[in-house]
Amino acid sequence: MLTNRPRGTSDILPADIHKWYYLEDTFRQVCHQYGYGEIRLPIFEHTELFVRGMGDTTDVVEKEMYTFNDRGGRSITLRPEGTAGAVRAYLENNLYAGPQPVKMYYLGPMFRYDRPQAGRYRQFHQVGIEAFGSHDPGLDAEIMALAMDYYTRLGLSGLCLQVNSVGCPQCRPVLRQRLQEFFAPHREELCPDCQSRYHRNPLRLLDCKNEKCQSLGQGAPSALDCLCPECAAHFAAVRHQLDLLGVSYQVNPRLVRGLDYYTHTAFEILVGGIGAQSAIGGGGRYNGLVEVCGGPPTPGIGFALGLERIILARESQGLPWPRARQMDVYVAVADAAAADRAVRLLTELRSAGLAAERDYLGRSLKAQMKQAGRLEAAFTVIAGSQELEQGRVAVKEMSTGEQHTVPLEQLVDFLQGRMR
Ligand SMILES: [Zn+2]
Ligand SMILES: [Zn+2]
């Protein structure tokens, strides 16, 4: 137990962290350009928030939450997603009273007690955005554009944006009834999940992954057949805005989100190369959610993308990662008499903004040079007592093997000049 991490978790080692920096930095940059500000939310919230925010009939709430009582006897849940916490923060901090829309993004770990498989973990990482306070279909389109822009900047190809409208509380009962009528003759043949969805959440009959359910669903009515005039107009405007932004998409009438507070736009982004589970992100409008969580009626829209899936997709597409951050200078000690001066030198280099490292194992000079190579240092400064007495050090440029003798007072300028 002591040397095994819990199932479904992973260690992100220093050797791999540059991949994560790249994904996170790129996301921060895109969000900033689209006018979103970062929000940092708690990793855990009151359980009731997720039950309300995600709906008590969803798989996540029914089977997958990490819920426990804390020492004060309160029921606490590790966040399985980011939206509920963002809604809570929007209300608790009175953000609804300020200028709208409020555009926020987040990134961080989420927790679901799911069956671990490729690209799926119990602690996984998401980036996401939430925008509150606007009905504008242009915002729906902008959010999809942002997501696509992000994937494109990461170099991913074979992307497919699928869009649908799931209607509103006025027109959804019509769809619900038509779906129940359609599936009624085949109810016994549906999978056990769908048999319970049939009553509680018939929209979800459309996106069951079970083959039998999928074939029974051939020709089922879709949300698009049942939209009220207002929803149809919103959907048309979203598509128009996507065209304006130059974002290509497919309408997928089977794309659904089962809960009442989801309204209008639903979307999903698929990518080639990671097998059957090719969705790498999705989102939609949730004009009823803020009210469900106890706030004033407030439109909202958002999406979430899984970073593990993006890593899988990039690797399956053979995309190279940007280089890991490099060590600039390795300070090697040629003889024991130079050791103290070398430590001060190291500090001077770091103070000047350089990444600098030295030996802590009493290695020979030759072994120190080898270590500098392993660390991929750009330069090795060789501190020898004789040269130091003359106010100089030897500098080896590791990429070329070239050696220079550099006066100490010019060392920082020399290194910085060479690195440029
Ligand atoms: Zn409607
Ligand atoms: Zn099913």
Side-chain angles (χ1 to χ4, degrees):
M1 290 291 273
L2 289 179
T3 53
N4 292 303
R5 56 181 179 253
R7 203 161 128 81
T9 63
S10 57
D11 300 310
I12 302 170
L13 300 175
D16 288 321
I17 200 68
H18 61 289
K19 300 177 185 179
W20 292 81
Y21 287 158
Y22 171 62
L23 299 180
E24 292 160 2
D25 292 348
T26 306
F27 189 68
R28 287 197 163 98
Q29 194 180 5
V30 176
C31 287
H32 173 67
Q33 288 183 269
Y34 282 73
Y36 289 79
E38 181 173 353
I39 183 165
R40 299 209 179 167
L41 297 160
I43 300 281
F44 57 88
E45 300 267 5
H46 295 298
T47 301
E48 184 57 23
L49 177 69
F50 297 116
V51 174
R52 284 288 194 91
M54 304 184 79
D56 53 10
T57 64
T58 55
D59 287 353
V60 174
V61 169
E62 281 182 343
K63 303 177 211 163
E64 296 173 2
M65 292 206 305
Y66 274 94
T67 298
F68 57 95
N69 287 330
D70 71 9
R71 287 170 189 276
R74 285 167 290 259
S75 181
I76 292 294
T77 294
L78 301 183
R79 63 183 186 189
E81 53 99 54
T83 304
V87 169
R88 197 243 338 113
Y90 177 76
L91 294 173
E92 186 165 0
N93 298 288
N94 297 326
L95 301 182
Y96 56 86
Q100 307 295 305
V102 171
K103 296 166 75 175
M104 307 189 286
Y105 73 90
Y106 59 83
L107 57 179
M110 307 290 163
F111 304 85
R112 291 187 193 181
Y113 192 83
D114 202 355
R115 196 166 57 85
Q117 46 184 304
R120 270 188 204 278
Y121 297 88
R122 288 179 176 170
Q123 176 175 335
F124 57 102
H125 298 79
Q126 283 189 340
V127 299
I129 69 172
E130 314 291 348
F132 298 100
S134 169
H135 289 280
D136 191 332
L139 194 58
D140 304 41
E142 181 188 85
I143 278 177
M144 291 183 257
L146 188 161
M148 296 303 279
D149 197 351
Y150 177 53
Y151 290 127
T152 307
R153 289 188 202 197
L154 296 179
L156 289 168
S157 55
L159 296 165
C160 175
L161 169 64
Q162 299 199 332
V163 190
N164 193 25
S165 173
V166 296
C168 71
Q170 274 69 52
C171 53
R172 199 169 306 122
V174 180
L175 172 63
R176 193 165 289 168
Q177 197 188 339
R178 287 182 58 180
L179 281 171
Q180 282 178 331
E181 282 163 12
F182 178 87
F183 282 100
H186 309 289
R187 263 178 61 191
E188 308 296 305
E189 301 162 64
L190 294 168
C191 76
D193 281 344
C194 284
Q195 297 203 13
S196 86
R197 285 174 185 149
Y198 179 87
H199 290 290
R200 296 191 304 180
N201 203 345
L203 265 70
R204 295 293 313 279
L205 295 168
L206 290 174
D207 74 346
C208 181
K209 302 289 176 266
N210 182 297
E211 264 176 48
K212 179 80 180 168
C213 298
Q214 284 189 348
S215 75
L216 287 172
Q218 295 286 327
S222 88
L224 296 181
D225 306 325
C226 309
L227 295 183
C228 67
E230 202 190 312
C231 286
H234 186 92
F235 191 46
V238 169
R239 285 175 294 160
H240 172 66
Q241 291 281 335
L242 283 171
D243 294 338
L244 282 182
L245 296 173
V247 177
S248 53
Y249 62 91
Q250 282 175 2
V251 173
N252 174 4
R254 303 183 71 84
L255 185 61
V256 294
R257 317 194 79 192
L259 301 166
D260 282 344
Y261 55 72
Y262 287 119
T263 54
H264 304 292
T265 308
F267 67 95
E268 202 163 67
I269 296 153
L270 310 178
V271 69
I274 51 172
Q277 308 162 339
S278 55
I280 49 171
R285 210 167 242 293
Y286 46 77
N287 287 353
L289 179 57
V290 176
E291 216 174 342
V292 164
C293 294
T298 307
I301 181 165
F303 75 67
L305 316 174
L307 292 183
E308 281 83 359
R309 314 282 300 241
I310 294 178
I311 290 176
L312 265 186
R314 283 194 98 259
E315 288 180 346
S316 76
Q317 293 191 1
L319 294 167
W321 294 99
R323 284 196 65 156
R325 287 181 196 179
Q326 233 184 313
M327 191 49 62
D328 298 322
V329 192
Y330 189 87
V331 179
V333 179
D335 55 279
D340 286 0
R341 184 66 187 93
V343 171
R344 276 191 283 133
L345 200 55
L346 182 79
T347 304
E348 286 158 24
L349 294 171
R350 286 175 176 166
S351 303
L354 295 162
E357 181 59 304
R358 70 169 175 101
D359 171 53
Y360 298 94
L361 290 177
R363 289 183 173 95
S364 69
L365 181 58
K366 197 176 157 197
Q368 291 179 67
M369 298 304 288
K370 208 167 156 191
Q371 178 65 3
R374 279 193 217 107
L375 295 174
E376 296 183 43
F379 298 92
T380 303
V381 167
I382 302 156
S385 50
Q386 242 175 358
E387 279 127 319
L388 282 172
E389 261 165 46
Q390 295 158 11
R392 294 192 308 233
V393 282
V395 177
K396 183 174 177 187
E397 196 156 357
M398 302 298 277
S399 59
T400 60
E402 241 180 292
Q403 286 236 42
H404 312 267
T405 303
V406 182
L408 279 172
E409 67 274 12
Q410 291 168 22
L411 181 60
V412 168
D413 285 347
F414 175 84
L415 294 170
Q416 285 174 336
R418 284 270 163 176
M419 283 195 295
R420 241 177 257 122

